[in-house]
Amino acid sequence: MLRKLLFILPSVIFLGVIAFSLWGLLSDRDPSAVPSALVNKPLPEFDLPPVEGMTGPGLSSAELADGEVKVINIFASWCIPCRAEHELITKLAEEHGVPVYGINYKDKPADARLWLAELGNPYRSIGADREGRVAIDFGVSGVPESYLIDGEGVIRFQQIGPIVGPDLEDKILPILEEIGG
Protein backbone atom coordinates (compact mmCIF):
# COMPACT_ATOMS: atom_id res chain seq x y z
CA MET A 1 0.00 0.00 0.00
CA LEU A 2 2.77 2.45 0.98
CA ARG A 3 4.61 1.58 -2.20
CA LYS A 4 1.55 2.50 -4.33
CA LEU A 5 1.15 5.77 -2.45
CA LEU A 6 4.81 6.70 -3.10
CA PHE A 7 4.23 5.94 -6.77
CA ILE A 8 1.05 8.05 -7.05
CA LEU A 9 2.06 11.03 -4.84
CA PRO A 10 4.49 12.69 -7.35
CA SER A 11 1.82 12.48 -10.06
CA VAL A 12 -0.78 14.10 -7.80
CA ILE A 13 1.64 16.91 -6.88
CA PHE A 14 2.55 17.42 -10.54
CA LEU A 15 -1.12 17.64 -11.56
CA GLY A 16 -1.74 20.11 -8.73
CA VAL A 17 1.08 22.36 -9.96
CA ILE A 18 -0.27 22.19 -13.53
CA ALA A 19 -3.81 23.02 -12.37
CA PHE A 20 -2.58 26.00 -10.30
CA SER A 21 -0.51 27.29 -13.25
CA LEU A 22 -3.44 27.01 -15.65
CA TRP A 23 -5.70 28.83 -13.18
CA GLY A 24 -3.14 31.66 -12.98
CA LEU A 25 -2.73 31.90 -16.74
CA LEU A 26 -6.36 31.58 -17.78
CA SER A 27 -8.20 33.54 -15.11
CA ASP A 28 -9.32 37.12 -15.73
CA ARG A 29 -7.32 38.48 -12.83
CA ASP A 30 -5.65 41.86 -13.34
CA PRO A 31 -2.17 41.76 -11.79
CA SER A 32 -2.21 45.57 -11.48
CA ALA A 33 -5.28 45.28 -9.27
CA VAL A 34 -3.28 43.94 -6.36
CA PRO A 35 -4.78 45.63 -3.32
CA SER A 36 -2.46 47.87 -1.38
CA ALA A 37 -2.07 47.36 2.32
CA LEU A 38 -2.18 51.15 2.69
CA VAL A 39 -5.54 51.80 1.00
CA ASN A 40 -7.92 53.35 3.55
CA LYS A 41 -5.03 54.07 5.89
CA PRO A 42 -3.33 57.40 6.66
CA LEU A 43 -0.31 58.45 4.63
CA PRO A 44 2.94 57.21 6.10
CA GLU A 45 4.87 60.00 7.80
CA PHE A 46 7.77 61.36 5.78
CA ASP A 47 9.80 64.51 5.23
CA LEU A 48 11.77 64.66 1.99
CA PRO A 49 14.16 67.38 0.83
CA PRO A 50 13.65 69.04 -2.57
CA VAL A 51 15.41 67.71 -5.63
CA GLU A 52 18.90 69.16 -5.33
CA GLY A 53 19.18 72.32 -7.40
CA MET A 54 15.42 72.98 -7.53
CA THR A 55 13.62 75.65 -5.61
CA GLY A 56 10.92 74.65 -3.18
CA PRO A 57 10.61 73.16 0.27
CA GLY A 58 10.57 69.45 -0.66
CA LEU A 59 7.62 67.36 0.44
CA SER A 60 6.34 66.15 3.78
CA SER A 61 3.30 64.25 4.95
CA ALA A 62 2.45 67.17 7.26
CA GLU A 63 2.15 69.42 4.20
CA LEU A 64 -0.41 67.06 2.69
CA ALA A 65 -2.87 67.07 5.60
CA ASP A 66 -4.64 70.21 4.41
CA GLY A 67 -8.20 69.02 3.76
CA GLU A 68 -7.70 68.92 0.00
CA VAL A 69 -8.01 65.86 -2.25
CA LYS A 70 -4.73 65.27 -4.07
CA VAL A 71 -2.53 62.85 -5.99
CA ILE A 72 0.97 61.75 -5.08
CA ASN A 73 2.90 60.48 -8.08
CA ILE A 74 6.12 58.52 -7.60
CA PHE A 75 8.34 58.94 -10.65
CA ALA A 76 11.93 58.86 -11.91
CA SER A 77 13.67 60.22 -14.98
CA TRP A 78 15.07 56.76 -15.82
CA CYS A 79 11.58 55.25 -15.81
CA ILE A 80 10.17 54.82 -19.34
CA PRO A 81 6.56 54.29 -18.17
CA CYS A 82 6.87 57.53 -16.15
CA ARG A 83 7.58 59.35 -19.39
CA ALA A 84 4.55 57.65 -20.97
CA GLU A 85 2.18 58.86 -18.23
CA HIS A 86 3.66 62.33 -17.73
CA GLU A 87 1.32 63.96 -20.26
CA LEU A 88 -1.72 62.66 -18.35
CA ILE A 89 -0.22 63.67 -14.99
CA THR A 90 0.22 67.16 -16.44
CA LYS A 91 -3.34 67.12 -17.79
CA LEU A 92 -4.63 66.03 -14.37
CA ALA A 93 -2.95 69.03 -12.74
CA GLU A 94 -3.44 71.69 -15.39
CA GLU A 95 -6.81 70.88 -16.98
CA HIS A 96 -8.59 69.25 -14.05
CA GLY A 97 -7.02 71.37 -11.31
CA VAL A 98 -6.06 68.40 -9.15
CA PRO A 99 -3.11 69.12 -6.85
CA VAL A 100 -0.37 66.69 -7.83
CA TYR A 101 2.70 66.15 -5.66
CA GLY A 102 5.76 64.24 -6.76
CA ILE A 103 8.18 61.90 -5.09
CA ASN A 104 11.29 61.58 -7.21
CA TYR A 105 12.46 58.00 -6.67
CA LYS A 106 16.13 56.96 -6.65
CA ASP A 107 17.06 59.54 -9.26
CA LYS A 108 20.09 61.68 -9.94
CA PRO A 109 19.15 65.31 -9.26
CA ALA A 110 20.58 66.56 -12.56
CA ASP A 111 18.62 63.91 -14.48
CA ALA A 112 15.40 64.78 -12.63
CA ARG A 113 15.85 68.52 -13.31
CA LEU A 114 16.55 67.88 -17.00
CA TRP A 115 13.53 65.55 -17.31
CA LEU A 116 11.21 68.12 -15.71
CA ALA A 117 12.64 70.92 -17.85
CA GLU A 118 12.02 68.84 -20.98
CA LEU A 119 8.54 67.49 -20.14
CA GLY A 120 7.23 70.19 -17.82
CA ASN A 121 6.66 70.25 -14.09
CA PRO A 122 3.04 69.59 -13.08
CA TYR A 123 3.92 69.07 -9.40
CA ARG A 124 3.05 71.51 -6.64
CA SER A 125 6.12 70.27 -4.85
CA ILE A 126 8.56 67.42 -5.19
CA GLY A 127 10.45 65.47 -2.57
CA ALA A 128 13.62 63.61 -3.45
CA ASP A 129 13.61 60.02 -2.20
CA ARG A 130 17.22 59.25 -3.13
CA GLU A 131 17.45 56.08 -1.05
CA GLY A 132 13.91 54.86 -1.71
CA ARG A 133 13.03 54.65 1.99
CA VAL A 134 9.77 56.59 1.70
CA ALA A 135 8.78 54.47 -1.30
CA ILE A 136 9.21 51.39 0.90
CA ASP A 137 6.86 52.96 3.46
CA PHE A 138 4.34 53.47 0.66
CA GLY A 139 4.69 49.83 -0.40
CA VAL A 140 5.89 50.79 -3.86
CA SER A 141 6.62 47.79 -6.05
CA GLY A 142 7.93 49.82 -8.98
CA VAL A 143 7.60 53.19 -10.62
CA PRO A 144 5.44 54.90 -11.54
CA GLU A 145 2.83 54.58 -8.87
CA SER A 146 0.21 57.11 -7.88
CA TYR A 147 -1.83 57.49 -4.73
CA LEU A 148 -5.17 59.28 -4.44
CA ILE A 149 -5.40 60.97 -1.07
CA ASP A 150 -8.60 62.29 0.49
CA GLY A 151 -8.88 65.53 2.41
CA GLU A 152 -8.08 63.84 5.70
CA GLY A 153 -4.78 62.44 4.44
CA VAL A 154 -6.06 58.90 3.92
CA ILE A 155 -4.93 56.88 0.90
CA ARG A 156 -8.07 55.94 -1.04
CA PHE A 157 -6.59 54.38 -4.16
CA GLN A 158 -3.23 53.15 -5.43
CA GLN A 159 -2.48 53.10 -9.15
CA ILE A 160 0.23 50.54 -9.77
CA GLY A 161 1.95 51.32 -13.04
CA PRO A 162 1.45 54.25 -15.37
CA ILE A 163 -1.76 56.17 -15.88
CA VAL A 164 -2.22 55.74 -19.62
CA GLY A 165 -4.97 55.59 -22.23
CA PRO A 166 -8.43 55.82 -20.68
CA ASP A 167 -7.15 55.42 -17.09
CA LEU A 168 -7.42 59.13 -16.33
CA GLU A 169 -10.99 59.61 -17.53
CA ASP A 170 -12.35 56.16 -16.69
CA LYS A 171 -10.68 55.43 -13.37
CA ILE A 172 -8.71 58.26 -11.72
CA LEU A 173 -11.13 61.17 -12.18
CA PRO A 174 -14.23 59.21 -11.02
CA ILE A 175 -12.40 58.07 -7.88
CA LEU A 176 -11.21 61.63 -7.18
CA GLU A 177 -14.78 62.89 -7.55
CA GLU A 178 -16.06 60.14 -5.26
CA ILE A 179 -13.60 61.03 -2.50
CA GLY A 180 -14.39 64.71 -2.72
CA GLY A 181 -12.14 66.15 -5.41
Side-chain angles (χ1 to χ4, degrees):
M1 178 69 176
L2 181 61
R3 196 172 191 178
K4 285 183 179 179
L5 183 62
L6 288 175
F7 181 73
I8 293 173
L9 188 59
S11 298
V12 170
I13 291 172
F14 178 74
L15 290 174
V17 169
I18 295 296
F20 183 75
S21 298
L22 286 174
W23 172 77
L25 290 172
L26 302 176
S27 68
D28 290 335
R29 293 177 308 130
D30 180 2
S32 69
V34 175
S36 168
L38 291 180
V39 170
N40 295 323
K41 294 187 178 167
L43 277 171
E45 288 191 28
F46 63 93
D47 189 8
L48 293 170
V51 173
E52 190 178 301
M54 291 185 70
T55 59
L59 183 63
S60 72
S61 53
E63 176 186 348
L64 300 173
D66 59 1
E68 193 173 38
V69 172
K70 62 194 61 63
V71 172
I72 297 176
N73 177 245
I74 299 178
F75 72 99
S77 66
W78 47 262
C79 162
I80 301 300
C82 297
R83 181 174 285 268
E85 79 166 0
H86 195 74
E87 182 180 338
L88 290 179
I89 294 294
T90 301
K91 183 177 180 180
L92 181 65
E94 293 179 358
E95 292 181 23
H96 297 283
V98 175
V100 180
Y101 296 85
I103 294 179
N104 184 234
Y105 177 73
K106 292 186 172 182
D107 211 350
K108 295 177 182 172
D111 293 345
R113 289 191 310 268
L114 184 63
W115 193 79
L116 290 166
E118 178 187 346
L119 300 177
N121 183 354
Y123 303 106
R124 279 197 179 176
S125 58
I126 302 172
D129 189 13
R130 299 278 316 263
E131 304 298 321
R133 293 181 191 273
V134 170
I136 290 171
D137 292 342
F138 271 82
V140 169
S141 58
V143 286
E145 286 194 13
S146 296
Y147 296 83
L148 281 53
I149 314 298
D150 72 12
E152 297 176 10
V154 175
I155 296 172
R156 294 300 180 187
F157 180 75
Q158 177 185 11
Q159 170 73 26
I160 297 173
I163 297 170
V164 291
D167 290 343
L168 181 62
E169 303 291 336
D170 294 350
K171 186 169 28 175
I172 302 300
L173 289 174
I175 294 171
L176 286 170
E177 186 173 320
E178 181 182 314
I179 64 174

